[in-house]
Amino acid sequence: MVRFPASCNVFMDEFGRIAHFFAPLASGFSGSLNLRDDAALLAPSAGHELVITKDALSEGVHFLGSESAGLIASKALRTNLSDLAAKGAKPLVYFLALMLPPGTGDAWLEAFCAGLENDQKIFGISLAGGDTISTHGKLSISITAIGEVPLGSMLKRSGAQAGDAIYVSGTLGDSALGLRSLQNGLGMAALEERYLLPQPRTALGLHLRTLAHACMDVSDGLVQDLGHICAASGVGALVHTPNIPLSPEAATQPGALTAALSGGDDYELLFTSPASAHAALEALSAEVGVRISRIGEVVSGSGVRVLDASGDEVKLTSTGYVHR
Ligand SMILES: [Mg+2]
């Protein structure tokens, strides 16, 4: 599955294009065998284990389709990097499957690969293999990303304990508001960028291995994703809306709180930590340059309850984007 095979009828010269577009992306990882074999070779560092995740994106569902090829590539890779960050994993390599509609030309592919190359440098990850096929449907991209953690140290959803504080990185709701801006031509560039170009919290995630009991990235909305942590851990959660971090751009927008509670595509880290970790988290926030906000607490029981400044429960009409 590592070669980009001749079954693909998008390209006139399949192997030439593998060499031109994709092999350079794999040159930093010797186990890729320069994409000239049927499979790649990968071993974790001594005392480590591999963390493996996959995210697929489809035009019109996960991205608009009007974005540049480079931005589409970045979003595809970064959603996977966000999952590795949420597990406390150091990125290693990724596998790429591209489903290209008819008429996809070399210029598009070149820009797509340039986007990947740029992010590979930023996040320290390399292409290890993949496949490219033509499709009669829309553009789809599937990436499998592999990272590593010291044995037994992967952050899980299931570790939250009653009494933990609940934290989130960055700000919430920007991406959902950015998508609304893009769809309605509102021109809110800062918010739109949050939708178009996620910021995986890789450095933060690495440090959270020793500070967090449970962690995941917020991709489907805060309340829904926190519900996943609660279900996996057998606990409940209280969230206090005055503590939810909003960017200055988002705070002025109608529906900002709803977007922060239930909007998708934030790709911030949501985690729970014991009270004893609070000072270390403040220091870590300064060290990695990422805001960390305490938004609530883990309680015994089940489910997520959202409380306003008066302590009254906020009723949500939607708890996030539900995948069909
Ligand atoms: Mg995730």
Side-chain angles (χ1 to χ4, degrees), residues 53-55 79-80 82-84 86-87 157 215-220 225 267-268:
T53 185
K54 171 181 273 298
D55 250 341
T79 55
N80 282 276
S82 179
D83 276 324
L84 288 184
K87 302 300 100 184
R157 296 181 179 187
C215 187
M216 68 180 295
D217 64 334
V218 184
S219 56
D220 293 337
D225 286 334
Y267 299 106
E268 296 293 350

Side-chain angles (χ1 to χ4, degrees), residues 172-173 220-224 239 241 244 256-263 306 314 316 318-320:
L172 297 179
D220 293 337
L222 171 66
V223 173
Q224 179 165 308
V239 171
T241 59
I244 291 177
L257 182 60
T258 301
L261 289 170
S262 61
V306 181
V314 175
L316 295 171
S318 166
T319 55

Side-chain angles (χ1 to χ4, degrees), residues 205-262:
L206 292 175
H207 287 89
L208 288 181
R209 284 202 303 255
T210 55
L211 295 171
H213 281 158
C215 187
M216 68 180 295
D217 64 334
V218 184
S219 56
D220 293 337
L222 171 66
V223 173
Q224 179 165 308
D225 286 334
L226 184 54
H228 293 320
I229 286 180
C230 289
S233 301
V235 295
L238 296 178
V239 171
H240 306 284
T241 59
N243 299 342
I244 291 177
L246 300 176
S247 69
E249 295 83 6
T252 62
Q253 294 301 301
L257 182 60
T258 301
L261 289 170
S262 61

Side-chain angles (χ1 to χ4, degrees), residues 144-183:
T144 301
I146 302 175
E148 68 176 10
V149 292
L151 279 170
S153 70
M154 188 185 91
L155 290 166
K156 297 175 182 165
R157 296 181 179 187
S158 57
Q161 300 173 19
D164 281 357
I166 301 169
Y167 297 87
V168 70
S169 66
T171 55
L172 297 179
D174 301 279
S175 185
L177 296 170
L179 175 59
R180 187 176 72 184
S181 176
L182 284 163
Q183 289 172 327

Side-chain angles (χ1 to χ4, degrees), residues 43-278:
S45 307
H48 289 64
E49 58 191 336
L50 298 176
V51 176
I52 304 163
T53 185
K54 171 181 273 298
D55 250 341
L57 280 72
S58 181
E59 180 181 341
V61 180
H62 305 94
F63 59 93
L64 299 169
S66 55
E67 300 93 336
S68 69
L71 272 178
I72 293 170
S74 284
K75 186 160 189 175
L77 185 54
R78 288 177 178 220
T79 55
N80 282 276
L81 286 163
S82 179
D83 276 324
L84 288 184
K87 302 300 100 184
K90 175 188 172 194
L92 294 177
V93 299
Y94 68 99
F95 293 79
L96 168 70
L98 271 178
M99 282 63 76
L100 300 174
T104 305
D106 283 358
W108 188 92
L109 209 50
E110 182 139 20
F112 185 85
C113 289
L116 292 176
E117 182 181 21
N118 188 51
D119 275 356
Q120 286 189 193
K121 289 177 185 158
I122 294 172
F123 296 100
I125 194 168
S126 176
L127 181 67
D131 200 0
T132 301
I133 61 169
S134 60
T135 175
H136 298 301
K138 294 189 173 183
L139 170 66
S140 296
I141 306 149
S142 177
I143 288 180
T144 301
I146 302 175
E148 68 176 10
V149 292
L151 279 170
S153 70
M154 188 185 91
L155 290 166
K156 297 175 182 165
R157 296 181 179 187
S158 57
Q161 300 173 19
D164 281 357
I166 301 169
Y167 297 87
V168 70
S169 66
T171 55
L172 297 179
D174 301 279
S175 185
L177 296 170
L179 175 59
R180 187 176 72 184
S181 176
L182 284 163
Q183 289 172 327
N184 296 284
L186 304 179
M188 309 204 63
L191 297 175
E192 291 174 2
E193 182 168 333
R194 289 294 308 274
Y195 172 78
L196 295 169
L197 192 63
Q199 299 294 330
R201 302 304 189 185
T202 304
L204 177 62
L206 292 175
H207 287 89
L208 288 181
R209 284 202 303 255
T210 55
L211 295 171
H213 281 158
C215 187
M216 68 180 295
D217 64 334
V218 184
S219 56
D220 293 337
L222 171 66
V223 173
Q224 179 165 308
D225 286 334
L226 184 54
H228 293 320
I229 286 180
C230 289
S233 301
V235 295
L238 296 178
V239 171
H240 306 284
T241 59
N243 299 342
I244 291 177
L246 300 176
S247 69
E249 295 83 6
T252 62
Q253 294 301 301
L257 182 60
T258 301
L261 289 170
S262 61
D265 284 340
D266 285 314
Y267 299 106
E268 296 293 350
L269 297 188
L270 171 67
F271 59 97
T272 81
S273 292
S276 58
H278 190 73

